[in-house]
Amino acid sequence: MNKTTERLWTQSFILLTCCNLFLFMGLQMTLSTLPAYAKETLQATPLQISLVTSLFALSAIASRLFSAKAMEKGGRNLLIFLGLSVILTAVIGYFLADNIVILLLLRILFGIGFGMASTAFPTMASDVIPLRRMGEGMGYFGLSTSLAMSAGPLIGLSLLQGPGFSSLLICTAAVIVLIIPLGYRLASSLPSHHIEPPMIAAESGSQSGISRKLFLPCMLNFLLSISYGGLLGFLALYGSEQHLEHIAYFFLFNAVAIVVVRPFSGKIYDRFGPKALLIPGSLFIIGGLLLLSFASSTAALFPAALCYGIGFGSMQPTLQTWMIQSVEPRQRGMANGMFLNSLDFGVAVGTMLLGSIATFTSYAVMYRFSALAPGMLLVVYLIVLRSQNKQRKPYTHI
């Protein structure tokens, strides 16, 4: 096969990975810090603290329904720059948020902008990655998301506890602004055939364009994201409850584990499929959450974060690649949208459900309950595998 078509690290792929890293970094710097800010500065109730995260997630989901349609009509560049503008408007607005109502409205606005931009980048990445290296390519691309989901909270919490909230917002805005010149360079580097024409209903396979092959990985991704919602929404508050001064180190150790496991996980997926990663990954996440719930020192955070990072870092790109490979190339925007929506929906449900548990128990007990979600993921996946083996009609990539 032509070596050019098999090249992974093209200019377009590198630019897309960098843009995605900065986009999710800007998100995670605020997603993990605003609940603590809302409680300590705006005297928010437990329900309002949950809404800080869940309203963002739900508005991002709604925004992607529009974004998927726009992408089918070739409006990727418009989505990116419009989304970035909306995100910057929301971040600047945080300076003026002197009560919880305004903050919640700005979280909705942020979610709308993020839903636009976050749908475009992974879809464009799946277009420039060689088909035979899709697992490896999406693994490296997904590393940008996972690194941001680990490093972003670490940076955000450090800024909030150090220089303060204003410095956090300035740094967040700066990270988002960095994407703009990269986006312009990206638009000029992509060949014209990567801008897809409108999808024809007959070609999409169904009127709604949603493949039922996506339902299982979507459900698994939803269950995976519930526990992550508990980390984003309440880890800082858990640190205060347990008197852990350096709770942000959890995200640092988590990032280290993700960097180590990610290069291998994509190649394992390409060779053995998702089964080789989802089953052990679920066990690692369960172990990480249970270790976290009993952590009484900074040193105890290391094994907890290591286990969680290995599990999450291998499972998340596995589910995303599985979904992309389950649909026709024209439906990759829809597949990526469903992947991100199931992630955000899991985070929204996780923060509200786990926040309610913490209200009546403690954050330590809450994290023990959160281990039930990856446990359910494992059970559901094993049941489906067993059912398919009995029927002797195994799914492709299951």
Side-chain angles (χ1 to χ4, degrees):
M1 182 169 288
N2 191 308
K3 292 183 179 179
T4 302
T5 60
E6 287 292 300
R7 260 189 77 200
L8 176 59
W9 294 101
T10 60
Q11 177 178 307
S12 297
F13 180 73
I14 294 171
L15 287 172
L16 282 164
T17 304
C18 291
C19 288
N20 195 66
L21 172 65
F22 291 139
L23 177 65
F24 275 86
M25 185 74 73
L27 165 68
Q28 298 297 329
M29 287 170 65
T30 56
L31 199 59
S32 58
T33 51
L34 285 178
Y37 173 78
K39 179 181 180 180
E40 297 171 3
T41 304
L42 304 180
Q43 289 76 50
T45 66
L47 174 60
Q48 291 170 335
I49 293 172
S50 299
L51 290 176
V52 170
T53 301
S54 58
L55 282 181
F56 153 78
L58 293 174
S59 61
I61 292 172
S63 175
R64 289 195 191 99
L65 298 177
F66 157 79
S67 301
K69 294 294 183 181
M71 289 190 64
E72 290 173 6
K73 299 178 181 179
R76 295 179 177 182
N77 292 333
L78 175 62
L79 276 179
I80 291 171
F81 293 112
L82 180 59
L84 294 177
S85 300
V86 174
I87 290 173
L88 280 174
T89 300
V91 172
I92 294 171
Y94 291 152
F95 283 102
L96 308 175
D98 56 358
N99 63 70
I100 190 63
V101 174
I102 294 177
L103 181 64
L104 292 178
L105 291 175
L106 289 170
R107 293 304 288 158
I108 294 174
L109 185 65
F110 193 107
I112 292 171
F114 183 79
M116 295 177 184
S118 63
T119 305
F121 290 135
T123 305
M124 296 165 78
S126 65
D127 286 343
V128 301
I129 295 172
L131 186 60
R132 291 174 59 181
R133 302 182 68 180
M134 186 64 71
E136 180 186 1
M138 289 307 297
Y140 282 117
F141 179 81
L143 178 60
S144 65
T145 301
S146 298
L147 276 179
M149 294 172 81
S150 299
L154 172 64
I155 296 171
L157 289 171
S158 299
L159 289 171
L160 182 64
Q161 296 169 357
F165 189 63
S166 296
S167 297
L168 167 64
L169 296 183
I170 291 172
C171 289
T172 302
V175 169
I176 299 301
V177 169
L178 281 174
I179 305 174
I180 296 176
L182 295 177
Y184 277 113
R185 182 70 179 271
L186 176 65
S188 61
S189 69
L190 282 175
S192 59
H193 68 269
H194 285 303
I195 302 177
E196 298 175 5
M199 181 183 293
I200 301 173
E203 294 176 333
S204 67
S206 68
Q207 192 67 26
S208 64
I210 298 178
S211 171
R212 66 184 186 88
K213 294 179 181 179
L214 298 177
F215 292 159
L216 176 59
C218 269
M219 180 190 302
L220 300 180
N221 194 42
F222 165 75
L223 292 171
L224 173 65
S225 304
I226 287 177
S227 65
Y228 189 71
L231 293 177
L232 286 178
F234 308 109
L235 191 62
L237 300 176
Y238 172 64
S240 298
E241 177 186 85
Q242 297 294 102
H243 306 291
L244 298 172
E245 296 182 0
H246 303 291
I247 190 66
Y249 283 0
F250 178 91
F251 291 109
L252 174 62
F253 301 145
N254 189 59
V256 171
I258 289 173
V259 170
V260 171
V261 74
R262 185 55 62 83
F264 303 103
S265 62
K267 294 181 179 179
I268 292 173
Y269 176 91
D270 285 334
R271 184 170 181 181
F272 300 106
K275 178 172 64 174
L277 295 164
L278 294 182
I279 295 174
S282 299
L283 297 175
F284 271 108
I285 286 184
I286 292 170
L289 291 169
L290 293 178
L291 288 172
L292 175 63
S293 71
F294 289 103
S296 57
S297 66
T298 301
L301 295 175
F302 177 75
L306 184 64
C307 285
Y308 193 91
I310 291 173
F312 194 83
S314 59
M315 292 177 69
Q316 189 188 52
T318 293
L319 291 168
Q320 185 174 21
T321 307
W322 180 5
M323 294 175 70
I324 290 172
Q325 292 186 325
S326 297
V327 299
E328 297 296 325
R330 289 179 176 271
Q331 293 181 302
R332 287 173 181 167
M334 176 266 295
N336 277 309
M338 291 187 67
F339 168 79
L340 293 168
N341 280 346
S342 57
L343 188 157
D344 284 338
F345 189 55
V347 168
V349 171
T351 53
M352 297 188 70
L353 179 61
L354 296 175
S356 300
I357 293 173
T359 301
F360 295 103
T361 57
S362 67
Y363 291 111
V365 173
M366 178 202 74
Y367 282 121
R368 290 164 204 161
F369 272 100
S370 71
L372 294 174
M376 291 177 60
L377 184 159
L378 181 59
V379 169
V380 169
Y381 186 62
L382 289 176
I383 289 174
V384 173
L385 276 180
R386 184 176 181 182
S387 174
Q388 293 301 315
N389 289 334
K390 282 185 175 181
Q391 295 176 11
R392 297 186 179 180
K393 295 178 180 180
Y395 284 143
T396 300
H397 291 310
I398 193 172

